[in-house]
Amino acid sequence: MAVMNGAARRGQAAGAGAGARRPLWKDLIRDRYLYLLLLPGLLLILLFRYGPMYGVVIAFQDYNIYKGISGSEWVGFDQFTRLFNSPDFVEILSNTIIISLYKLAASFTIPIILALLLNELRGVVFKRFAQSVIYLPHFVSWVIFSGIIITFLNPVDGMVNVVIQHFGGSPVDFLGDVRYFRPMLVITDAYKEVGWGTIIYLAAIAGVNAELYEAARIDGATKLRQMWHVTLPAIRPVIVILIILSLANILEAGFQQIFLLYNALVYDVADIIDTYVYRVGIQEANYSYATAAGLFKSAVAMVLILTVNTIVKKSGQEGLW
């Protein structure tokens, strides 16, 4: 009898659970105002992200602007073959990866260090002022920021070279010398964007349980030990997610920055996929060629993000999904 009663109770609980599952349309009606708030964002994504994807088909055509997509000749993978067989392909691909890895190393380490240091500041006014100063360059467009950089690094009368000459050195053409151009890219990119990453890590640090720090202090841990054994493990999920997103953009070396700062003297170390496509694909009206290069970048990004996310999840960490 007890067994029968237990089975009956389990059946009633299962029936109650099944009854608790609401149909999707009822949820849509119940939360209709929330979904209406979500609708503009969804429309923007559909319009500007998914809508233009129809144009990807020109990567497989010999696109003619007068004939349009429907009238252009279908050539299959000829544009990709042309891209991969280009004598400049290996150079621009290696430049893209090298510059991206340099930037990734800087954008990964510097914001974490700054966030840890800012978190230890006790003066609220100075802390907010420092955050504002660090974060401010993020809101300045690369058009303006590159003009400032060019002015400061001018080999004739730029402030940096004036200081170098004041101490007896010779002027340096930072943006025209292949030895200095990549470091300048990394330094200026880090200076402009480091504030964004710092704010994200500071928000993650703010959510760390204060009792963990108290327990560490009781055990005699120094500030450095608290950072290493408490803060960093606590914000590890955020670090992992940002790394995954950064690796997915490994072929995005920064078109605006490089396009505005580079010149023919540094093409050998600065020409990336985006700038090459702009020169060869857009300016020379090779639209199918440019689209093929863009599709190649997107395919690499998709493979990287899937691979890294899988590796992260298999290692026991939380991935993007």
Side-chain angles (χ1 to χ4, degrees), residues 248-263:
N249 295 321
I250 198 69
L251 296 185
E252 295 285 347
F255 170 74
Q256 289 188 56
Q257 179 196 20
I258 296 176
F259 179 73
L260 293 168
L261 293 178
Y262 84 151
N263 54 74

Side-chain angles (χ1 to χ4, degrees), residues 157-173:
D157 56 359
M159 181 180 295
V160 175
N161 276 296
V162 169
V163 173
I164 291 175
Q165 293 179 72
H166 178 74
F167 287 98
S170 301
V172 179
D173 189 2

Side-chain angles (χ1 to χ4, degrees), residues 202-241:
L202 278 173
I205 292 173
V208 179
N209 191 344
E211 294 179 357
L212 297 176
Y213 292 108
E214 185 178 351
R217 284 193 295 269
I218 292 173
D219 290 340
T222 61
K223 286 291 184 183
L224 188 60
R225 288 289 184 181
Q226 292 176 34
M227 291 180 187
W228 185 259
H229 294 288
V230 177
T231 308
L232 288 177
I235 65 173
R236 187 182 301 158
V238 177
I239 295 174
V240 169
I241 289 174

Side-chain angles (χ1 to χ4, degrees), residues 178-198:
V178 294
R179 296 173 298 173
Y180 302 109
F181 188 79
R182 283 178 180 170
M184 289 300 103
L185 287 179
V186 177
I187 292 170
T188 53
D189 180 76
Y191 178 73
K192 185 178 184 301
E193 301 297 342
V194 72
W196 173 253
T198 303

Side-chain angles (χ1 to χ4, degrees), residues 240 243-244 247-248 299-315 319-321:
V240 169
I243 289 176
I244 294 173
L247 287 175
V300 171
M302 183 184 69
V303 171
L304 282 174
I305 196 169
L306 291 174
T307 304
V308 175
N309 190 70
T310 302
I311 294 173
V312 167
K313 292 185 70 174
K314 286 186 178 295
S315 65
L320 289 177
W321 61 85

